[in-house]
Amino acid sequence: MDHRTTRMLTRVKSVYLFIREHGTVSTRAIAEEFGMTHRTVQRDLNILVHNGLISSPKRGKWKTTAKKVKIS
């Protein structure tokens, strides 16, 4: 895996753990926490949604799903 892919996967994992730790969070809170653009946050959230790890019960608010996750 190249450096960019590893960095992206680490970032997505960090976003997932942040949401899991804080409950329902906004896209803005994620961007501020990690110093990312809203576009980068949205890309990372799309990956997590695609894998069934998070959902958006209200527009712009995110929470984890009940899907089992093994964190390594």
Side-chain angles (χ1 to χ4, degrees), residues 1-48:
M1 214 177 321
D2 71 19
H3 179 68
R4 289 180 295 179
T5 302
T6 302
R7 187 174 64 205
M8 183 268 303
L9 290 173
T10 301
R11 190 181 66 235
V12 170
K13 179 180 172 181
S14 296
V15 169
Y16 173 77
L17 292 173
F18 179 76
I19 296 169
R20 189 169 85 172
E21 181 180 322
H22 291 89
T24 303
V25 298
S26 68
T27 304
R28 175 175 283 163
I30 296 166
E32 290 173 0
E33 176 69 20
F34 295 98
M36 299 187 305
T37 66
H38 288 283
R39 181 67 192 121
T40 300
V41 171
Q42 197 58 56
R43 274 195 303 266
D44 292 352
L45 294 171
N46 287 340
I47 292 167
L48 293 167

